[in-house]
Amino acid sequence: ALAVPDKQVDSVCPYCGVGCQLTYNIRDNKIVFVEGRDGPANRERLCVKGRYGFDYAHHPQRLTVPLIRRLDAPKSGEFSMDPARVLDVFREATWEEALDAAGGALARIRDTHGKRALAGFGSAKGSNEEAYLFQKLVRTGFGSNNVDHCTRLCHASSVAALLEGIGSGAVSNPVMDVTLAEVVIVIGANPTVNHPVAATWIKNAIRNGTRLVVCDPRRSDLARSAHRYLQFKPDTDVALLNAMMHTIVAEGLVDKDFIASRTIGYAELEQNVAGYSPELMAPICGVDADTIRYVARLYATSKASMILWGMGISQHIHGTDNARCLIALALMTGQIGRPGTGLHPLRGQNNVQGASDAGLIPMMFPDYQRVDNPQALAKFEQAWGMPLDSTPGLTVVEIMHAIPRGEIRGMYIMGENPAMSDPDANHARASLAALEHLVVQDIFLTETAYLADVILPASAFPEKTGSFTNTDRLVQIGRQAIDPPGQARQDLWIIQQMAQRLGLDWNYGHVSEVFDEMRRIMPSIGGITWDRLEREHAVTYPCTTEGDPGQPVVFTEQFPRESGRARFVPADIIPADERPDSAYPMVLITGRQLEHWHTGSMTRRTAVLDAIEPDPVALVHPLDLAALGGQPGDVITIASRRGEVALYARADDSSPRGAIFVPFCYYEAAINRLTNAALDPFGKIPEFKYCAIRVALG
Ligand code: SF4
């Protein structure tokens, strides 16, 4: 029986970018159960993570005391969950001692080796206010733009293409617009697993007549409900999408008025796709020419067509090109700027949109104002009262490569776990271990925290209040429901304490004071007051004045580029950085599972979710497994040129033959030890969706 709550607190889900509103039911400072609330994105629905993924906050492994690494403890790079080993490595400290050690060491590195010798990773799980203060600390306290977060591993290439092509990195239409669309294309995304409540809206739309086209090398659950499923070969997105555009041009299905009045660069695009006939591309992408033509016609001729995509598109060295093709498809057919149309990169973390908006990226101040733009620089120098660096900083993977070169010597990491989430994780761990000083602020002793010099125990999602921006650009409040355990403190307090030790005189009180400062310098949210958020529960940006209801559908009149017009950018086929060969004949695709979230630090400490998926698994085509001589449940070892892991094989015919899918949440089989750190040159995103591997039984 459910415990009778003594308190109820309205909040939002801490996991994915759908941004479901929920209610925490509390008894004796413990969450006892969670219910869905009638939010704009979920209408009381929750998935298994939102409903059951809360008891990590009460887990006995929570960090409750600041820790300082013992002088004689080597940074071996190997993670240990053994509590006895932990106390061999770290000693407990007071907050004053830990903050002085952390802030003092970083200040010394800055003063000795220069401002660019420091870097900071913030988190897309933190609030807008935490993201804003963290990037402000790096830009004003460290003095450089070396600040980034996990958007770099997620949709950075999509954002690069969107900013270039249509002037805004956010979605054009909310997920719920699928219910207004005649045709929906879902490509490189598995919403049933990664955005489950969004998937329910897509399924509801199908029931009402919407035609769904799923394009993915892996046959997702949603593909079973699709009008057409295109199982293209891994790494052949541009071939498939250019062939669709070729068809639309060849059959005269372009929207000439839209192209003439609202875009530039069409002639180059048309010339480029002329070389990509469906017949030529069919053997490359593995989809027959007739199906390519049929889907192209369907998309171009419907009254309203919408495209949603995920990391299958973005996590390639040609991720920006993949997204450029999707943008071009929408522009050439005029399928953007109206309800039920548009472009929707499904955002991963609950606040990856907001953290990016708040400037937690190395090349942009808040609201995507470039650091090397003299007007933007002057504006932020005036707002923050000091000179700022006008050189874009290093990105996540670049920072890991700069450490062994001695260019980055100290880091402050808040709520990120690069020892698990970075590509070529053995290299990332060695880099973290090589830092002169690493400060980690987190709620658990993560694989990254294990390499820290100072660990600052932080607050879990339900232990603090802040605003969060979902994939639809909806700003919502996550409210404090319980107190942090032991001496763990709220992140806004910790960031300010660190700022003071780096010479900044900060003294923000309530979180709304930070939000007020943000909205004064971020025109996109200028009309959203904290009172309004409290009153309306959710406000969509752009929202420029207090009377503005917010704009769920954008680009209705013009695009936010200097000319007001969107730009076509042609793309050609670029093969994956590392192709299979005789030594490594198969392909590794990484991603997520329904029950576990990213590096697993929260969901693997959640009783229900961990009970459903307790062990590391690899999804292998049954014929590939049989060829190995294996059975489902056998242990297999997967190796790439960078490392190897052992885990259980699961027979899964949704994966194409020759390709193995592994979730990246299992510390005991950390699959990112194998992935390739090669970067997309524009978005600087690593190629998580393709590297060469070999597999053996045992
Ligand atoms: Fe949370 Fe996303 Fe599930 Fe909604 S769909 S409950 S936001 S994980």
Side-chain angles (χ1 to χ4, degrees):
L2 295 176
V4 179
D6 55 32
K7 186 168 84 165
Q8 291 189 311
V9 177
D10 290 340
S11 190
V12 293
C13 176
Y15 293 106
C16 90
V18 174
C20 297
Q21 292 191 5
L22 51 74
T23 299
Y24 286 120
N25 289 273
I26 318 292
R27 186 171 181 87
D28 299 332
N29 199 39
K30 280 202 156 185
I31 303 166
V32 287
F33 63 96
V34 168
E35 294 168 299
R37 206 153 54 98
D38 189 14
N42 65 314
R43 302 288 174 218
E44 301 185 355
R45 300 176 187 188
L46 292 177
C47 77
V48 68
K49 285 190 287 286
R51 192 167 297 281
Y52 296 110
F54 56 83
D55 50 325
Y56 71 90
H58 308 303
H59 196 280
Q61 288 176 345
R62 279 292 300 274
L63 291 169
T64 57
V65 181
L67 298 171
I68 294 180
R69 177 174 289 274
R70 293 183 187 278
L71 286 178
D72 56 350
K75 294 184 176 180
S76 68
E78 285 307 314
F79 178 66
S80 172
M81 297 280 280
D82 177 358
R85 174 90 199 279
V86 170
L87 287 177
D88 284 347
V89 177
F90 298 99
R91 66 176 175 82
E92 296 185 350
T94 65
W95 268 107
E96 206 63 21
E97 190 186 5
L99 288 164
D100 286 349
L106 295 182
R108 268 194 305 282
I109 291 171
R110 176 195 62 192
D111 298 341
T112 310
H113 298 284
K115 297 171 173 182
R116 293 186 188 151
L118 296 176
F121 285 174
S123 172
K125 295 222 87 49
S127 66
N128 288 325
E129 298 75 24
E130 289 164 0
Y132 174 80
L133 277 199
F134 191 88
Q135 62 84 36
K136 184 176 171 183
L137 179 148
V138 171
R139 293 192 154 106
T140 58
F142 291 1
S144 81
N145 293 305
N146 289 336
V147 62
D148 208 353
H149 76 293
C150 59
T151 189
R152 196 65 44 206
L153 310 176
C154 164
H155 262 308
S157 47
S158 307
V159 171
L162 289 164
L163 284 169
E164 168 193 70
I166 58 180
S168 163
V171 303
S172 68
N173 295 59
V175 168
M176 202 66 91
D177 263 25
V178 296
T179 59
L180 307 172
E182 280 188 8
V183 173
V184 169
I185 292 181
V186 173
I187 180 165
N190 189 353
T192 319
V193 166
N194 299 319
H195 303 85
V197 168
T200 68
W201 299 119
I202 296 171
K203 287 181 177 175
N204 293 168
I206 295 168
R207 192 192 299 150
N208 291 327
T210 298
R211 288 182 163 183
L212 171 68
V213 176
V214 172
C215 309
D216 206 296
R218 295 187 65 234
R219 194 182 65 249
S220 62
D221 169 74
L222 211 49
R224 292 189 299 182
S225 308
H227 175 67
R228 286 290 185 280
Y229 167 50
L230 279 55
Q231 187 170 30
F232 64 97
K233 294 179 191 171
D235 193 42
T236 63
D237 320 59
V238 169
L240 173 67
L241 296 169
N242 273 354
M244 285 175 64
M245 287 192 270
H246 176 103
T247 302
I248 290 166
V249 172
E251 299 189 5
L253 304 178
V254 296
D255 185 334
K256 288 182 185 153
D257 290 344
F258 190 93
I259 291 169
S261 62
R262 303 210 41 196
T263 70
I264 56 172
Y266 176 69
E268 291 84 352
L269 188 279
E270 185 180 292
Q271 191 181 14
N272 189 60
V273 299
Y276 287 85
S277 74
E279 279 70 24
L280 272 179
M281 294 302 107
I284 295 173
C285 67
V287 179
D288 66 87
D290 286 346
T291 302
I292 294 173
R293 283 210 174 81
Y294 176 80
V295 169
R297 284 179 204 129
L298 195 70
Y299 175 80
T301 58
S302 97
K303 288 199 183 72
S305 294
M306 186 171 176
I307 302 174
L308 300 98
W309 74 92
M311 271 143 258
I313 284 289
S314 61
Q315 289 176 334
H316 290 277
I317 59 161
H318 49 79
T320 304
D321 281 340
N322 292 348
R324 284 169 173 155
C325 290
L326 297 175
I327 294 164
L329 257 179
L331 295 176
M332 75 195 309
T333 52
Q335 297 285 18
I336 190 165
R338 292 172 284 120
T341 68
L343 296 161
H344 192 118
L346 284 155
R347 309 312 297 258
Q349 301 253 25
N350 65 336
N351 201 38
V352 69
Q353 182 64 60
S356 304
D357 299 340
L360 204 60
I361 42 180
M363 59 293 285
M364 314 273 194
F365 292 126
D367 241 0
Y368 305 96
Q369 300 170 68
R370 284 199 65 93
V371 298
D372 48 9
N373 174 311
Q375 287 84 33
L377 184 71
K379 170 181 166 172
F380 281 91
E381 286 183 335
Q382 191 189 15
W384 293 341
M386 64 174 63
L388 299 170
D389 190 351
S390 62
T391 302
L394 298 175
T395 59
V396 164
V397 178
E398 289 174 332
I399 287 169
M400 289 302 162
H401 288 298
I403 295 169
R405 295 196 299 265
E407 293 166 17
I408 299 290
R409 292 166 179 266
M411 281 191 75
Y412 178 16
I413 299 179
M414 176 183 75
E416 288 266 295
N417 192 5
M420 283 288 287
S421 60
D422 266 33
D424 194 2
N426 286 334
H427 175 269
R429 291 177 189 203
S431 291
L432 292 168
L435 285 165
E436 279 176 38
H437 198 83
L438 172 61
V439 182
V440 173
Q441 178 174 323
D442 215 312
I443 62 173
F444 292 113
L445 188 76
T446 61
E447 294 74 9
T448 300
Y450 197 73
L451 299 169
D453 295 279
V454 177
I455 302 175
L456 306 173
S459 43
F461 183 87
E463 295 162 1
K464 55 193 175 184
T465 295
S467 68
F468 295 81
T469 306
N470 82 344
T471 189
D472 295 333
R473 296 181 269 103
L474 268 172
V475 186
Q476 312 184 100
I477 296 183
R479 294 182 179 81
Q480 182 174 3
I482 53 176
D483 298 323
Q487 295 177 40
R489 299 297 298 260
Q490 296 195 339
D491 296 76
L492 277 185
W493 180 85
I494 303 172
I495 299 168
Q496 291 192 69
Q497 292 297 314
M498 286 290 288
Q500 285 171 11
R501 280 151 180 91
L502 287 153
L504 301 167
D505 184 23
W506 287 5
N507 200 9
Y508 297 92
H510 190 264
V511 60
S512 60
E513 293 175 23
V514 183
F515 187 80
D516 271 349
E517 179 176 313
M518 292 172 65
R519 75 184 197 89
R520 280 200 298 275
I521 51 178
M522 294 174 63
S524 67
I525 59 167
I528 307 178
T529 64
W530 193 264
D531 281 352
R532 196 173 163 189
L533 282 179
E534 290 275 15
R535 205 170 50 245
E536 298 179 24
H537 303 295
V539 183
T540 305
Y541 84 79
C543 176
T544 52
T545 64
E546 290 188 35
D548 185 347
Q551 299 165 42
V553 179
V554 289
F555 317 138
T556 52
E557 305 286 332
Q558 56 178 10
F559 293 95
R561 299 182 74 248
E562 214 167 285
S563 63
R565 289 166 176 253
R567 178 182 160 208
F568 287 98
V569 182
D572 285 312
I573 295 173
I574 298 172
D577 180 71
E578 186 181 68
R579 307 285 303 176
D581 55 22
S582 55
Y584 295 92
M586 298 183 79
V587 172
L588 173 68
I589 301 173
T590 64
R592 288 171 284 177
Q593 273 177 311
L594 171 63
E595 293 78 7
H596 288 306
W597 187 252
H598 285 202
T599 67
S601 57
M602 291 158 66
T603 51
R604 294 201 74 201
R605 292 178 173 96
T606 293
V608 171
L609 300 176
D610 196 48
I612 301 173
E613 283 289 3
D615 296 315
V617 289
L619 275 54
V620 187
H621 193 284
L623 296 176
D624 287 335
L625 192 54
L628 282 174
Q631 301 280 337
D634 283 351
V635 172
I636 57 172
T637 298
I638 306 178
S640 78
R641 288 184 173 80
R642 292 158 291 279
E644 66 176 44
V645 298
L647 67 185
Y648 297 101
R650 185 174 286 176
D652 176 52
D653 67 1
S654 66
S655 298
R657 284 211 66 181
I660 292 186
F661 177 83
V662 181
F664 70 101
C665 58
Y666 294 100
Y667 71 88
E668 63 274 48
I671 198 63
N672 278 329
R673 290 179 187 270
L674 277 59
T675 49
N676 187 358
L679 299 181
D680 172 299
F682 304 97
K684 304 286 176 78
I685 195 168
E687 191 152 61
F688 285 122
K689 288 291 185 273
Y690 201 101
C691 74
I693 53 167
R694 65 170 176 244
V695 185
L697 266 190

